[in-house]
């Protein structure tokens, strides 16, 4: 096992390097880079007079930028150095998790991620736990009652929920329950109320949960169908196998057959996906859901950073996402072996 883990970790290095290299190269050819973004901002702020360039020069809107001022801006963002030198410096800093500073937000990338993470964790973890705790029992019930009215009705409901985009459902929920034309039941925006710091700890929990109801519903409904049908199909496949018929022939009760024999085998494909889903929950976020409910999370941060060509934020978040994705894949492979002893590391390597 130790050899397999070491081999996988070593393979992560070139994968991570390749992802960062390709992304870095792409950013060099995307028009409207940070220099152009700053020049555009200076043109807007300097329409009636002057604005500082940030590099010691002064920009006059009626005169434009001369070469010295442009060189000062390029030096400010490090674009006065060759691309390969900037990339190697970036990778060297990333090894120590120094993700640099945002071009336009005047904060380090790690501080920005830490500030936005509570929103994304809240959405991701609630969605993760509600999905698993709802879909697994529902999938088992559907498998046991396969072909019945219950199976047909629940399949219809989860597929309808899957067909409705999360942001559309979020808008409908806000209109109905956010104080619009109907009922003023849930808050419209934010993770907590403005006076949250002044509340008692019990009221803080209630306030937080009350704010999370609508965005979590909008996020979770669409994910019910996949997990429910996966659970149902996994149980149906196991129920039809010979060992189930043997257990029934020996006089085992249906409940014992289902939960002592079928459950362990049917849960293998679900549990092995648990590490990736759990780690991904910390960075799972929907840009549209965050925008609709005014939640300032990682999804909105990434989107705004791409638009502003804030490359340190774009590359820094991608670096963390890639590492977490590779670790989740390794944990998923390890969980296969831990859950199912029939699988050996040698067979995985082949």
């Amino acid at each position: 096992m130790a050899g397999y883990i070491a081999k996988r970790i070593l393979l992560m290095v070139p994968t991570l390097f390749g992802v960062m290299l390709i992304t870095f190269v792409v950013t060099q050819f995307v028009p409207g880079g940070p220099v152009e973004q700053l020049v555009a901002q200076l043109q807007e702020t300097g329409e009636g007079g002057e604005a500082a360039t940030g590099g010691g020069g002064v920009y006059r809107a009626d005169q434009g930028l001369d070469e010295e001022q442009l060189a000062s801006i390029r030096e400010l963002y490090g674009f006065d150095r060759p691309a390969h030198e900037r990339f190697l410096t970036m990778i060297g800093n990333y090894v120590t998790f120094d993700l640099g500073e945002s071009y336009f937000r005047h904060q380090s990338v790690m501080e920005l991620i830490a500030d936005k993470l509570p929103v994304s964790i809240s959405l991701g973890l609630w969605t993760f736990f509600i999905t698993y705790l709802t879909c697994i029992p529902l999938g088992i019930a559907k498998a046991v009652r396969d072909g019945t009215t219950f199976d047909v009705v629940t399949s219809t409901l989860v597929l309808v929920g899957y067909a409705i985009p999360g942001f559309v459902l979020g808008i409908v929920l806000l209109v109905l329950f956010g104080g619009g034309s109907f009922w003023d039941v849930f808050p419209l925006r934010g993770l907590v109320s403005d006076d949250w710091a002044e509340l008692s700890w019990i009221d803080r929990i209630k306030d937080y949960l009350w704010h999370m109801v609508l965005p979590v519903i909008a996020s979770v409904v669409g994910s019910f169908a996949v997990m429910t049908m996966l659970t149902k199909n996994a149980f149906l496949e196991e129920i039809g196998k010979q060992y189930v018929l043997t257990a029934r022939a020996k006089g085992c009760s249906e409940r014992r057959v289902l939960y002592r024999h079928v459950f362990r085998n049917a849960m293998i494909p679900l549990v092995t996906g648990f590490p990736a889903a759990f780690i991904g929950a910390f960075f799972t976020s929907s840009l549209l859901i965050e925008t609709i409910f005014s939640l300032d999370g990682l999804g909105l941060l990434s989107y705004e950073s791409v638009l502003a060509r804030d490359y340190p934020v774009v590359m820094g978040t991608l670096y963390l996402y890639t590492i977490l994705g590779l670790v989740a894949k390794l944990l998923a492979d390890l969980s296969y072996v831990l859950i199912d002893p029939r699988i050996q590391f040698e067979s995985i390597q082949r």
Side-chain angles (χ1 to χ4, degrees):
M1 179 182 292
Y4 173 76
I5 295 175
K7 181 179 179 180
R8 286 294 301 272
I9 292 176
L10 291 176
L11 288 174
M12 289 180 185
V13 176
T15 302
L16 180 61
F17 183 85
V19 170
M20 300 307 297
L21 177 60
I22 292 173
T23 307
F24 182 85
V25 171
V26 170
T27 59
Q28 304 308 301
F29 296 97
V30 175
V35 174
E36 291 81 359
Q37 294 281 337
L38 181 56
V39 170
Q41 292 179 14
L42 293 175
Q43 289 174 343
E44 292 178 1
T45 59
E47 286 179 355
E50 302 176 350
T53 65
V58 174
Y59 166 68
R60 296 180 180 274
D62 56 349
Q63 296 179 6
L65 289 173
D66 57 31
E67 287 300 323
E68 183 178 349
Q69 291 168 326
L70 286 173
S72 178
I73 295 176
R74 293 191 185 97
E75 183 180 358
L76 176 66
Y77 293 134
F79 285 92
D80 57 325
R81 296 181 298 160
H84 69 277
E85 183 180 331
R86 288 186 280 115
F87 176 75
L88 293 176
T89 301
M90 180 189 74
I91 293 298
N93 293 334
Y94 280 9
V95 171
T96 60
F97 286 91
D98 178 8
L99 304 184
E101 293 195 3
S102 168
Y103 286 155
F104 306 110
R105 296 173 182 266
H106 308 294
Q107 277 184 282
S108 71
V109 176
M110 290 297 290
E111 289 177 352
L112 281 171
I113 293 175
D115 290 342
K116 312 299 182 183
L117 199 55
V119 171
S120 298
I121 287 178
S122 295
L123 280 176
L125 288 184
W126 281 116
T127 301
F128 169 79
F129 284 119
I130 291 175
T131 299
Y132 266 80
L133 293 177
T134 301
C135 294
I136 291 178
L138 179 59
I140 296 174
K142 285 173 64 61
V144 174
R145 299 171 177 83
D146 183 40
T148 63
T149 302
F150 172 82
D151 181 37
V152 174
V153 171
T154 52
S155 295
T156 302
L157 292 176
V158 296
L159 290 175
V160 168
Y162 181 74
I164 300 175
F167 70 93
V168 174
L169 180 60
I171 294 174
V172 172
L173 292 174
L174 278 180
V175 171
L176 291 177
F177 303 108
S181 304
F182 297 91
W183 302 281
D184 186 6
V185 180
F186 296 100
L188 285 171
R189 55 186 297 121
L191 199 61
V192 293
S193 300
D194 294 335
D195 61 344
W196 186 79
E198 303 172 4
L199 301 176
S200 63
W201 67 271
I202 296 180
D203 291 332
R204 289 184 182 182
I205 295 175
K206 292 179 180 179
D207 182 74
Y208 163 75
L209 294 176
W210 207 239
H211 278 75
M212 291 305 302
V213 170
L214 295 186
V216 167
I217 291 176
S219 300
V220 78
V221 168
S223 59
F224 279 162
V226 175
M227 184 61 64
T228 299
M229 301 310 293
L230 179 62
T231 304
K232 175 189 173 182
N233 293 335
F235 271 79
L236 283 177
E237 182 181 356
E238 293 298 323
I239 288 174
K241 291 186 176 180
Q242 185 64 42
Y243 74 88
V244 176
L245 299 177
T246 304
R248 286 171 176 167
K250 290 182 177 180
C252 294
S253 65
E254 194 65 25
R255 185 179 183 86
R256 180 181 178 86
V257 171
L258 185 63
Y259 290 101
R260 285 292 301 274
H261 300 282
V262 175
F263 186 83
R264 290 187 301 175
N265 294 324
M267 289 300 294
I268 289 176
L270 302 177
V271 174
T272 51
F274 187 93
F278 185 78
I279 292 178
F282 286 88
F283 289 90
T284 298
S285 57
S286 170
L287 168 63
L288 295 176
I289 296 297
E290 290 181 6
T291 303
I292 291 170
F293 293 98
S294 300
L295 300 172
D296 191 10
L298 289 174
L300 192 59
L301 172 66
S302 300
Y303 175 71
E304 292 177 345
S305 299
V306 170
L307 290 183
R309 305 294 191 269
D310 198 345
Y311 293 151
V313 178
V314 174
M315 300 295 293
T317 53
L318 176 66
Y319 179 73
L320 292 181
Y321 293 163
T322 305
I323 289 178
L324 288 175
L326 293 172
V327 171
K329 179 62 177 174
L330 174 60
L331 293 177
D333 288 346
L334 294 178
S335 63
Y336 267 111
V337 179
L338 295 176
I339 294 172
D340 190 351
R342 296 171 298 178
I343 300 176
Q344 302 297 324
F345 280 105
E346 290 78 9
S347 62
I348 295 179
Q349 295 182 66
R350 289 196 294 268

